[in-house]
Amino acid sequence: MSLKEQYEEVLQQLPSHIQLVAVSKTHPVEKIQQVYDFGQRVFGENKVQELVEKAPLLPNDIQWHLIGHLQRNKVKYIAEFVDTVQSVDSEKLLDEINRQAKKCNRKIKVLLQVKIAEEDTKFGLEVSETKELFLKWLQGNFPNVEITGLMGMATFTDNEAQIRREFSFLKRLFDQLSLQHRLQTLSMGMSGDFPIAIDCGANSVRVGSAIFGERSYTN
Ligand SMILES: *Cc1c(COP(=O)(O)O)cnc(C)c1O
């Protein structure tokens, strides 16, 4: 299948209210430009260096999402242009994003990344930490960030029941926090599990290989 066919096949599986973040990590700017030309505007990268190298070579109305683990000392390189940091997994990181956003005189959107996988390998906040951080923000801390939602990654498994359990868990937390302050974005689901995520209430999905093809190296 061509890049266009793959992209369209993914789009066809997304109800109209679902945001697609096209995960372009490891893929060259030429391919990203093609997907941009098909109409896609939201792209995700998981490494600061790669994002910083690619962004200036591509149209400046792309909304860049940082989706991978972010080290505090690298926030300064993306603060000026990143649209959303999806992978906030500590208060210190949130504090640094706030600090750098203030320097740039802007507000950066962030998602709190919650640990939902039963396997113990992924980054993310515990539920209690998520609630505490959200409350601190509601009380007026970190004024240069806007917490717009939650992000989570399910366990890498063929066990669909387990994936559903993990996504549904995050959806319940999302609904609970939304009672305090309306949240827009529940980011769950990748190439292998996005239809399940949508079924469980995701309204934003991060899809890489189903659009761009397999990555030639792991990242
Ligand atoms: C790579 C990545 C994705 C996309 O993965 P695919 O399986 O290629 O769709 C989504 N989310 C995060 C956090 C990633 O690092």
Side-chain angles (χ1 to χ4, degrees):
M1 265 200 290
S2 70
L3 187 56
K4 180 151 202 206
E5 285 165 339
Q6 285 173 177
Y7 176 63
E8 282 175 353
E9 190 167 285
V10 169
L11 282 188
Q12 276 165 19
Q13 295 175 72
L14 302 180
S16 60
H17 68 284
I18 307 286
Q19 177 190 52
L20 172 63
V21 178
V23 177
S24 50
K25 63 190 188 196
T26 78
H27 297 289
V29 290
E30 292 74 20
K31 252 173 130 175
I32 302 173
Q33 179 70 53
Q34 280 181 287
V35 175
Y36 175 93
D37 293 338
F38 304 151
Q40 181 66 25
R41 291 295 177 268
V42 187
F43 290 86
E45 288 281 340
N46 71 334
K47 295 208 161 143
V48 167
Q49 188 178 340
E50 196 173 337
L51 176 55
V52 165
E53 285 170 9
K54 287 172 170 176
L57 305 173
L58 286 156
N60 62 15
D61 64 341
I62 287 182
Q63 294 161 42
W64 289 106
H65 287 217
L66 199 284
I67 61 170
H69 180 63
L70 176 57
Q71 288 171 311
R72 270 181 288 155
N73 60 1
K74 294 190 177 163
V75 174
K76 57 178 176 283
Y77 302 118
I78 59 170
E80 220 163 278
F81 69 93
V82 74
D83 179 79
T84 302
V85 176
Q86 292 212 1
S87 42
V88 170
D89 57 4
S90 73
E91 179 169 347
K92 285 177 170 173
L93 176 59
L94 190 67
D95 190 47
E96 177 62 9
I97 295 170
N98 180 64
R99 216 168 66 84
Q100 296 296 338
K102 184 157 189 261
K103 273 194 186 172
C104 301
N105 198 19
R106 64 183 294 239
K107 213 170 202 183
I108 295 178
K109 289 181 271 185
V110 305
L111 306 182
L112 300 180
Q113 181 177 354
V114 186
K115 195 179 281 185
I116 55 170
E118 289 166 13
E119 66 184 357
D120 198 29
T121 54
K122 303 265 162 61
F123 293 105
L125 296 156
E126 302 292 341
V127 170
S128 58
E129 295 173 310
T130 308
K131 289 180 179 170
E132 283 168 31
L133 206 46
F134 188 57
L135 188 60
K136 278 192 184 175
W137 176 72
L138 284 179
Q139 289 167 339
N141 299 287
F142 322 113
N144 285 76
V145 300
E146 179 165 5
I147 298 179
T148 57
L150 303 178
M151 186 269 254
M153 288 169 88
T155 302
F156 187 71
T157 174
D158 289 335
N159 184 342
E160 189 179 321
Q162 183 179 351
I163 296 172
R164 276 183 188 279
R165 199 156 61 231
E166 294 172 0
F167 284 153
S168 301
F169 177 82
L170 191 59
K171 167 69 165 130
R172 280 195 298 277
L173 179 62
F174 178 80
D175 289 342
Q176 209 182 332
L177 297 184
S178 293
L179 294 174
Q180 296 174 271
H181 177 92
R182 212 189 100 76
L183 290 173
Q184 288 149 17
T185 306
L186 180 56
S187 170
M188 334 188 269
M190 318 187 353
S191 294
D193 57 16
F194 74 85
I196 303 174
I198 292 168
D199 211 37
C200 294
N203 59 24
S204 182
V205 295
R206 309 176 308 275
V207 179
S209 44
I211 297 170
F212 289 97
E214 291 304 319
R215 287 178 287 276
S216 49
Y217 56 95
T218 52
N219 188 326

Coordinates of all heavy atoms in Angstrom, one line a residue, residues 13-81:
Q13 N -10.8 4.6 10.0 CA -11.1 3.9 11.2 C -11.4 4.8 12.4 O -11.7 4.4 13.5 CB -10.0 2.9 11.6 CG -9.8 1.8 10.6 CD -8.6 0.9 10.9 OE1 -8.6 0.2 11.9 NE2 -7.6 1.1 10.2
L14 N -11.2 6.1 12.1 CA -11.4 7.1 13.2 C -12.7 7.8 13.1 O -13.0 8.5 12.1 CB -10.3 8.1 13.2 CG -8.8 7.6 13.3 CD1 -7.9 8.8 13.2 CD2 -8.6 6.8 14.5
P15 N -13.6 7.7 14.1 CA -14.8 8.5 14.1 C -14.4 10.0 14.1 O -13.3 10.3 14.4 CB -15.4 8.2 15.5 CG -14.9 6.9 15.8 CD -13.5 6.8 15.2
S16 N -15.3 10.9 13.6 CA -14.8 12.2 13.3 C -14.4 13.1 14.5 O -13.7 14.0 14.3 CB -16.0 13.0 12.5 OG -17.1 13.0 13.4
H17 N -14.8 12.7 15.7 CA -14.4 13.5 16.8 C -13.0 13.1 17.4 O -12.6 13.6 18.4 CB -15.5 13.4 17.9 CG -15.5 12.0 18.6 ND1 -16.1 11.0 18.0 CD2 -15.0 11.6 19.8 CE1 -16.0 9.9 18.7 NE2 -15.4 10.2 19.8
I18 N -12.4 12.1 16.8 CA -11.1 11.6 17.3 C -9.9 12.4 16.6 O -9.8 12.4 15.4 CB -10.9 10.1 17.0 CG1 -12.1 9.3 17.5 CG2 -9.6 9.6 17.6 CD1 -12.2 9.1 19.0
Q19 N -9.0 12.9 17.5 CA -7.8 13.6 17.0 C -6.8 12.5 16.6 O -6.6 11.6 17.4 CB -7.3 14.5 18.0 CG -6.0 15.2 17.6 CD -5.3 15.9 18.7 OE1 -5.0 15.4 19.8 NE2 -5.0 17.2 18.5
L20 N -6.2 12.7 15.5 CA -5.1 11.8 15.1 C -3.7 12.5 15.3 O -3.5 13.6 14.6 CB -5.2 11.3 13.6 CG -4.0 10.6 13.0 CD1 -3.8 9.3 13.8 CD2 -4.3 10.3 11.5
V21 N -2.9 11.9 16.1 CA -1.5 12.4 16.2 C -0.7 11.4 15.3 O -0.5 10.2 15.7 CB -1.0 12.5 17.6 CG1 0.5 12.9 17.7 CG2 -1.9 13.4 18.5
A22 N -0.1 11.9 14.2 CA 0.7 11.0 13.4 C 2.1 11.0 13.9 O 2.8 12.0 13.9 CB 0.7 11.6 11.9
V23 N 2.5 9.8 14.4 CA 3.8 9.6 15.0 C 4.9 9.4 14.0 O 4.9 8.3 13.4 CB 3.7 8.5 16.1 CG1 5.1 8.3 16.7 CG2 2.7 8.8 17.2
S24 N 5.7 10.4 13.8 CA 6.6 10.4 12.7 C 8.1 10.0 13.1 O 9.0 10.1 12.2 CB 6.6 11.7 12.0 OG 6.7 12.8 12.9
K25 N 8.3 9.6 14.3 CA 9.6 9.3 14.8 C 10.3 8.3 13.8 O 9.7 7.4 13.4 CB 9.6 8.8 16.2 CG 8.8 7.4 16.3 CD 8.6 7.1 17.8 CE 8.0 5.7 17.9 NZ 7.5 5.4 19.3
T26 N 11.6 8.5 13.6 CA 12.5 7.8 12.8 C 12.2 7.9 11.3 O 13.0 7.5 10.4 CB 12.5 6.2 13.1 OG1 11.3 5.6 12.5 CG2 12.5 5.9 14.5
H27 N 11.1 8.6 10.9 CA 10.8 8.8 9.5 C 11.3 10.1 9.0 O 11.3 11.1 9.7 CB 9.3 8.6 9.2 CG 8.9 7.2 9.6 ND1 9.2 6.1 8.8 CD2 8.1 6.8 10.6 CE1 8.7 5.0 9.4 NE2 8.0 5.4 10.5
P28 N 11.8 10.1 7.7 CA 12.4 11.4 7.2 C 11.4 12.5 6.9 O 10.2 12.2 6.7 CB 13.1 10.9 5.9 CG 12.3 9.7 5.5 CD 11.8 9.0 6.7
V29 N 11.9 13.7 6.9 CA 11.0 14.9 6.7 C 10.3 14.8 5.3 O 9.1 15.3 5.2 CB 11.8 16.2 6.7 CG1 12.2 16.5 8.2 CG2 13.0 16.2 5.8
E30 N 10.8 14.1 4.3 CA 10.1 14.0 3.0 C 8.8 13.3 3.2 O 7.8 13.7 2.6 CB 11.0 13.3 2.0 CG 12.3 14.0 1.6 CD 13.4 14.0 2.6 OE1 13.4 13.2 3.6 OE2 14.3 14.9 2.5
K31 N 8.9 12.2 4.0 CA 7.6 11.4 4.2 C 6.6 12.2 5.1 O 5.4 12.2 4.9 CB 8.0 10.2 5.0 CG 7.9 8.9 4.1 CD 8.4 7.7 4.8 CE 7.5 6.5 4.8 NZ 8.1 5.3 5.4
I32 N 7.1 13.0 6.0 CA 6.3 13.8 6.9 C 5.6 14.8 6.0 O 4.4 15.1 6.2 CB 7.0 14.4 8.1 CG1 7.7 13.3 8.9 CG2 6.1 15.3 8.9 CD1 8.7 13.9 10.0
Q33 N 6.4 15.5 5.1 CA 5.8 16.5 4.2 C 4.7 15.9 3.4 O 3.7 16.6 3.2 CB 6.9 17.1 3.4 CG 6.5 18.1 2.4 CD 6.1 19.4 3.0 OE1 6.8 20.0 3.8 NE2 4.9 19.9 2.8
Q34 N 4.9 14.7 2.9 CA 3.8 14.0 2.1 C 2.5 13.9 2.9 O 1.5 14.2 2.4 CB 4.3 12.6 1.7 CG 5.2 12.6 0.5 CD 5.6 11.2 0.1 OE1 6.4 10.6 0.8 NE2 5.0 10.7 -1.0
V35 N 2.7 13.4 4.2 CA 1.5 13.2 5.0 C 0.8 14.6 5.3 O -0.4 14.7 5.4 CB 1.8 12.4 6.3 CG1 0.6 12.3 7.2 CG2 2.3 11.0 5.9
Y36 N 1.7 15.6 5.5 CA 1.2 17.0 5.7 C 0.4 17.4 4.4 O -0.7 17.9 4.5 CB 2.4 17.9 5.9 CG 2.0 19.4 5.9 CD1 1.7 20.0 7.1 CD2 1.9 20.1 4.7 CE1 1.4 21.4 7.2 CE2 1.5 21.5 4.8 CZ 1.3 22.1 6.0 OH 1.0 23.4 6.0
D37 N 0.9 17.0 3.3 CA 0.2 17.4 2.0 C -1.1 16.7 1.9 O -2.0 17.2 1.2 CB 1.1 17.2 0.8 CG 2.3 18.1 0.8 OD1 2.2 19.2 1.4 OD2 3.3 17.8 0.1
F38 N -1.3 15.5 2.5 CA -2.6 14.8 2.5 C -3.6 15.6 3.4 O -4.7 15.2 3.5 CB -2.5 13.4 3.0 CG -1.5 12.5 2.2 CD1 -0.8 11.5 2.9 CD2 -1.2 12.8 0.9 CE1 0.1 10.7 2.2 CE2 -0.3 12.0 0.2 CZ 0.4 10.9 0.8
G39 N -3.1 16.5 4.3 CA -4.0 17.2 5.1 C -3.7 17.1 6.6 O -4.3 17.8 7.4
Q40 N -2.7 16.3 7.0 CA -2.5 16.0 8.4 C -1.7 17.2 9.0 O -0.8 17.7 8.4 CB -1.6 14.7 8.6 CG -1.3 14.4 10.0 CD -2.5 14.0 10.8 OE1 -3.5 13.6 10.3 NE2 -2.4 14.2 12.1
R41 N -2.1 17.7 10.2 CA -1.4 18.8 10.8 C -0.8 18.5 12.1 O 0.0 19.3 12.6 CB -2.3 20.0 10.9 CG -2.8 20.7 9.6 CD -1.6 21.3 8.9 NE -1.9 21.8 7.6 CZ -1.9 21.1 6.4 NH1 -1.5 19.9 6.4 NH2 -2.2 21.7 5.3
V42 N -1.2 17.4 12.8 CA -0.7 17.1 14.1 C 0.3 15.9 14.0 O -0.1 14.9 13.5 CB -1.8 16.8 15.1 CG1 -1.3 16.7 16.5 CG2 -2.9 17.9 15.0
F43 N 1.5 16.2 14.5 CA 2.5 15.1 14.4 C 3.2 14.9 15.7 O 3.3 15.9 16.5 CB 3.6 15.5 13.3 CG 3.1 15.4 11.9 CD1 2.5 16.5 11.3 CD2 3.3 14.2 11.2 CE1 2.0 16.4 10.0 CE2 2.8 14.1 9.9 CZ 2.2 15.2 9.3
G44 N 3.6 13.7 16.0 CA 4.2 13.4 17.3 C 5.6 12.8 17.1 O 5.9 12.0 16.2
E45 N 6.5 13.3 17.9 CA 7.9 12.8 18.0 C 8.2 12.4 19.4 O 7.7 13.0 20.3 CB 8.9 13.9 17.5 CG 8.8 14.1 16.0 CD 9.6 13.1 15.1 OE1 10.4 12.3 15.7 OE2 9.3 13.0 13.9
N46 N 9.1 11.5 19.6 CA 9.4 11.1 21.0 C 10.8 11.5 21.5 O 11.1 11.3 22.6 CB 9.2 9.6 21.2 CG 10.3 8.7 20.5 OD1 10.9 9.2 19.5 ND2 10.5 7.5 21.0
K47 N 11.6 12.1 20.6 CA 12.9 12.5 21.0 C 13.1 14.0 20.7 O 12.9 14.4 19.6 CB 14.0 11.7 20.3 CG 13.9 10.3 20.7 CD 15.3 9.6 20.7 CE 15.2 8.3 21.5 NZ 16.0 7.2 20.9
V48 N 13.7 14.7 21.7 CA 13.9 16.2 21.5 C 14.8 16.5 20.3 O 14.5 17.3 19.5 CB 14.4 16.8 22.8 CG1 14.9 18.2 22.6 CG2 13.3 16.8 23.9
Q49 N 15.9 15.7 20.3 CA 16.9 16.1 19.2 C 16.3 15.9 17.8 O 16.5 16.7 16.9 CB 18.1 15.2 19.4 CG 19.2 15.7 18.4 CD 20.5 14.9 18.6 OE1 20.7 14.3 19.6 NE2 21.3 14.9 17.6
E50 N 15.6 14.8 17.7 CA 14.9 14.5 16.4 C 13.9 15.6 16.0 O 13.8 16.1 14.9 CB 14.3 13.1 16.4 CG 14.0 12.6 15.0 CD 13.5 11.1 15.1 OE1 13.8 10.4 16.1 OE2 12.8 10.7 14.2
L51 N 13.1 16.0 17.0 CA 12.1 17.0 16.8 C 12.7 18.3 16.4 O 12.3 19.0 15.5 CB 11.3 17.1 18.1 CG 10.2 18.2 18.1 CD1 9.2 18.1 17.0 CD2 9.4 18.2 19.5
V52 N 13.8 18.7 17.1 CA 14.5 20.0 16.9 C 15.1 20.0 15.5 O 15.2 21.0 14.9 CB 15.5 20.2 18.0 CG1 16.5 21.3 17.7 CG2 14.8 20.5 19.3
E53 N 15.6 18.8 15.1 CA 16.2 18.8 13.7 C 15.1 18.9 12.6 O 15.3 19.5 11.6 CB 17.0 17.5 13.5 CG 18.3 17.5 14.3 CD 19.0 16.2 14.3 OE1 18.5 15.2 13.6 OE2 20.0 16.0 15.0
K54 N 14.0 18.2 12.8 CA 13.0 18.1 11.8 C 12.1 19.4 11.7 O 11.7 19.8 10.5 CB 12.1 16.9 12.0 CG 12.7 15.6 11.7 CD 11.8 14.5 12.2 CE 12.2 13.1 11.8 NZ 11.3 12.0 12.3
A55 N 11.7 19.9 12.8 CA 10.7 21.0 12.8 C 11.0 22.1 11.9 O 10.1 22.6 11.1 CB 10.4 21.4 14.2
P56 N 12.2 22.7 11.9 CA 12.5 23.8 11.0 C 12.5 23.5 9.5 O 12.4 24.4 8.7 CB 14.0 24.2 11.4 CG 14.3 23.4 12.6 CD 13.4 22.2 12.7
L57 N 12.5 22.2 9.2 CA 12.5 21.8 7.8 C 11.1 21.6 7.2 O 10.9 21.3 6.1 CB 13.3 20.5 7.6 CG 14.7 20.6 8.1 CD1 15.4 19.2 8.0 CD2 15.5 21.6 7.3
L58 N 10.1 21.8 8.1 CA 8.7 21.5 7.8 C 7.8 22.7 8.0 O 8.2 23.6 8.6 CB 8.2 20.3 8.6 CG 8.9 18.9 8.1 CD1 8.9 17.9 9.2 CD2 8.1 18.4 6.9
P59 N 6.6 22.7 7.4 CA 5.7 23.8 7.5 C 5.5 24.2 9.0 O 5.4 23.4 9.9 CB 4.4 23.4 6.9 CG 4.8 22.3 5.9 CD 6.0 21.6 6.6
N60 N 5.4 25.5 9.2 CA 5.3 26.0 10.6 C 3.9 26.0 11.2 O 3.7 26.4 12.3 CB 6.1 27.3 10.8 CG 5.4 28.4 10.0 OD1 4.3 28.3 9.5 ND2 6.1 29.5 9.9
D61 N 2.9 25.5 10.4 CA 1.6 25.3 11.0 C 1.4 23.9 11.5 O 0.3 23.5 11.9 CB 0.5 25.8 10.1 CG 0.4 25.0 8.9 OD1 1.4 24.3 8.5 OD2 -0.7 25.0 8.2
I62 N 2.5 23.1 11.5 CA 2.4 21.8 12.1 C 2.3 21.9 13.6 O 3.0 22.7 14.2 CB 3.6 20.9 11.8 CG1 3.5 20.4 10.3 CG2 3.6 19.7 12.7 CD1 4.6 19.5 9.9
Q63 N 1.4 21.2 14.3 CA 1.3 21.1 15.7 C 2.1 20.0 16.2 O 1.7 18.8 16.0 CB -0.2 21.0 16.2 CG -1.0 22.2 15.9 CD -2.5 21.8 15.9 OE1 -3.0 21.1 16.8 NE2 -3.3 22.3 14.9
W64 N 3.3 20.2 16.8 CA 4.2 19.2 17.2 C 3.8 18.7 18.6 O 3.7 19.6 19.6 CB 5.6 19.7 17.2 CG 6.1 19.8 15.8 CD1 6.4 21.0 15.2 CD2 6.5 18.8 14.9 NE1 6.9 20.8 13.9 CE2 7.0 19.4 13.7 CE3 6.5 17.4 15.0 CZ2 7.4 18.7 12.6 CZ3 6.9 16.7 13.9 CH2 7.4 17.3 12.7
H65 N 3.6 17.4 18.8 CA 3.5 16.8 20.1 C 4.7 16.1 20.5 O 5.2 15.2 19.7 CB 2.2 15.9 20.2 CG 0.9 16.6 20.1 ND1 -0.2 16.2 20.8 CD2 0.5 17.7 19.4 CE1 -1.2 17.0 20.5 NE2 -0.8 17.9 19.7
L66 N 5.2 16.3 21.7 CA 6.3 15.5 22.2 C 5.6 14.4 23.0 O 4.9 14.6 24.0 CB 7.2 16.4 23.1 CG 8.6 15.9 23.5 CD1 8.6 14.8 24.5 CD2 9.4 15.4 22.2
I67 N 5.9 13.1 22.6 CA 5.1 12.0 23.2 C 6.0 11.1 24.0 O 5.5 10.1 24.6 CB 4.4 11.2 22.1 CG1 5.4 10.6 21.1 CG2 3.4 12.0 21.4 CD1 4.8 9.6 20.1
G68 N 7.3 11.3 24.0 CA 8.2 10.3 24.7 C 8.7 10.9 26.0 O 8.5 12.1 26.2
H69 N 9.4 10.1 26.7 CA 10.0 10.6 28.0 C 10.8 11.8 27.8 O 11.7 11.8 26.9 CB 10.8 9.5 28.7 CG 11.4 9.9 30.0 ND1 10.6 10.3 31.1 CD2 12.6 10.1 30.4 CE1 11.3 10.6 32.1 NE2 12.6 10.5 31.7
L70 N 10.6 12.9 28.5 CA 11.3 14.2 28.3 C 12.2 14.5 29.5 O 11.7 14.5 30.7 CB 10.2 15.3 28.1 CG 10.7 16.7 28.0 CD1 11.7 16.9 26.9 CD2 9.5 17.6 27.8
Q71 N 13.4 14.7 29.3 CA 14.4 15.1 30.3 C 14.3 16.6 30.6 O 14.2 17.3 29.6 CB 15.8 14.7 30.0 CG 16.0 13.2 30.0 CD 17.4 12.9 29.4 OE1 17.8 13.3 28.3 NE2 18.2 12.1 30.2
R72 N 14.3 16.9 31.8 CA 14.1 18.4 32.2 C 15.1 19.3 31.5 O 14.7 20.4 31.1 CB 14.3 18.5 33.7 CG 13.0 18.4 34.5 CD 13.2 18.6 35.9 NE 13.9 17.5 36.5 CZ 14.7 17.5 37.6 NH1 14.8 18.7 38.2 NH2 15.3 16.5 38.0
N73 N 16.3 18.8 31.4 CA 17.3 19.8 30.8 C 17.1 20.0 29.3 O 17.8 20.7 28.7 CB 18.7 19.3 31.1 CG 19.0 17.9 30.5 OD1 18.1 17.3 29.9 ND2 20.2 17.4 30.7
K74 N 16.2 19.2 28.7 CA 15.9 19.4 27.2 C 14.7 20.2 26.9 O 14.4 20.5 25.8 CB 15.8 18.0 26.6 CG 17.2 17.3 26.6 CD 17.2 16.1 25.8 CE 18.6 15.4 25.8 NZ 18.5 14.0 25.4
V75 N 13.9 20.6 27.9 CA 12.7 21.3 27.7 C 13.0 22.6 27.0 O 12.2 23.0 26.1 CB 12.0 21.6 29.0 CG1 10.7 22.5 28.8 CG2 11.6 20.3 29.7
K76 N 14.1 23.2 27.3 CA 14.4 24.6 26.7 C 14.5 24.5 25.2 O 14.3 25.5 24.6 CB 15.6 25.2 27.4 CG 16.9 24.3 27.3 CD 18.1 25.0 27.9 CE 19.4 24.2 27.9 NZ 19.3 23.2 29.0
Y77 N 14.9 23.4 24.7 CA 15.0 23.3 23.2 C 13.7 23.3 22.4 O 13.7 23.5 21.2 CB 15.9 22.1 22.8 CG 17.2 22.1 23.5 CD1 17.6 21.0 24.4 CD2 18.2 23.1 23.2 CE1 18.8 21.0 25.0 CE2 19.4 23.1 23.8 CZ 19.8 22.0 24.7 OH 21.0 22.0 25.3
I78 N 12.7 22.9 23.1 CA 11.4 22.8 22.4 C 10.3 23.8 22.9 O 9.3 23.9 22.3 CB 10.8 21.4 22.5 CG1 10.6 21.0 24.0 CG2 11.7 20.4 21.8 CD1 9.8 19.6 24.1
A79 N 10.6 24.5 23.9 CA 9.6 25.3 24.6 C 9.0 26.4 23.7 O 7.8 26.7 23.8 CB 10.2 26.0 25.8
E80 N 9.8 26.8 22.7 CA 9.3 27.9 21.9 C 8.3 27.5 20.9 O 7.4 28.3 20.5 CB 10.5 28.5 21.1 CG 10.5 30.0 21.1 CD 11.8 30.6 20.7 OE1 12.7 30.8 21.6 OE2 12.0 30.9 19.5
F81 N 8.3 26.2 20.5 CA 7.4 25.8 19.4 C 6.6 24.6 19.6 O 5.6 24.3 18.9 CB 8.3 25.6 18.1 CG 9.1 24.4 18.2 CD1 8.7 23.2 17.7 CD2 10.4 24.5 18.7 CE1 9.5 22.0 17.7 CE2 11.2 23.3 18.8 CZ 10.8 22.1 18.3

